[in-house]
Amino acid sequence: MAKQEYIEKNRQWLADKAKEPGVKLLDKGVLCKVVKNGNAKGAMPNRYSVVTAHYVGKTINGKTFDSSRGGVAPAFRLRDLIPGWIIALQQMHVGDKWEIYIPAEQGYGRFSQPGIPGGSTLIFEIELLGISSPRPPGLLTPRHPPAPYRLCTNAASRSQMLAALPPYAANIKAVSRHGRRILNKLNGCLPI
């Protein structure tokens, strides 16, 4: 079968699957079918979450190309996964078990992967077991209550503010290159 025929066959399979009862459209062509509901009031992952899940991945011909069953459930940073997983997992609750159908554009696209021809619709059965949500990059956890901020305009006021930094920021003075990088990043604004 030519590659274009294979791609069309996968698109047609997905269109037919969308008409089946119990299958709903999530976003960007990703479809899902709920196999088991978890706690509806439970946590849901966000883009920065680390999720623990069991899964089985198949192509439309039923060939399994990957599975976590039979071992320890792996943990993944959600933002590092294919777009179809990101779309689906952000709408799942812990304990949910879904079968998701991912169009090639939200999977690996036209590129082949081991056991997955380019242009393949992907089928995953995913069971979300746990979530840990680290802070998004750039957000620091303050150890002290928020302090007033002001712009440092001269060297005297900058050294005055460096002397007034809370104890956890003392390393900024000790590592000058790193300290300068932090000061530049903060654009001259530090707690006083």
Side-chain angles (χ1 to χ4, degrees):
M1 181 183 310
K3 189 168 185 166
Q4 191 58 39
E5 286 178 47
Y6 179 78
I7 291 170
E8 290 303 321
K9 180 180 174 188
N10 276 265
R11 287 183 181 153
Q12 185 58 48
W13 184 93
L14 198 59
D16 293 343
K17 183 57 86 171
K19 296 173 187 169
E20 289 183 10
V23 175
K24 65 179 184 174
L25 177 65
L26 296 178
D27 192 19
K28 297 184 178 180
V30 176
L31 303 171
C32 81
K33 182 177 184 179
V34 176
V35 176
K36 180 183 95 176
N37 282 316
N39 180 1
K41 294 182 182 180
M44 294 171 66
N46 63 42
R47 186 168 186 78
Y48 300 103
S49 297
V50 174
V51 296
T52 304
H54 267 305
Y55 67 93
V56 177
K58 299 178 182 181
T59 53
I60 64 169
N61 63 4
K63 181 182 170 206
T64 300
F65 59 82
D66 197 7
S67 177
S68 69
R69 295 288 178 187
V72 176
F76 306 98
R77 283 186 298 211
L78 193 55
R79 69 176 184 254
D80 294 341
L81 301 174
I82 59 174
W85 269 59
I86 295 171
I87 290 166
L89 281 166
Q90 287 185 87
Q91 298 182 45
M92 292 176 74
H93 297 276
V94 172
D96 282 350
K97 186 175 186 178
W98 290 5
E99 191 166 83
I100 62 171
Y101 312 100
I102 303 173
E105 297 77 22
Q106 299 306 317
Y108 297 112
R110 66 178 195 263
F111 302 104
S112 295
Q113 299 292 319
I116 309 169
S120 291
T121 295
L122 306 176
I123 305 165
F124 284 98
E125 184 179 271
I126 302 173
E127 182 177 9
L128 182 59
L129 302 173
I131 303 168
S132 63
S133 295
R135 296 199 184 287
L139 292 182
L140 301 174
T141 306
R143 294 186 185 169
H144 297 286
Y149 288 82
R150 74 177 171 89
L151 186 61
C152 300
T153 54
N154 61 43
S157 64
R158 183 171 297 239
S159 58
Q160 204 174 20
M161 283 208 303
L162 282 173
L165 283 174
Y168 68 86
N171 291 339
I172 291 174
K173 293 188 285 186
V175 184
S176 62
R177 184 187 316 150
H178 183 64
R180 272 197 306 273
R181 192 175 301 134
I182 290 173
L183 291 175
N184 291 339
K185 187 171 184 173
L186 294 175
N187 212 9
C189 295
L190 288 173
I192 54 173

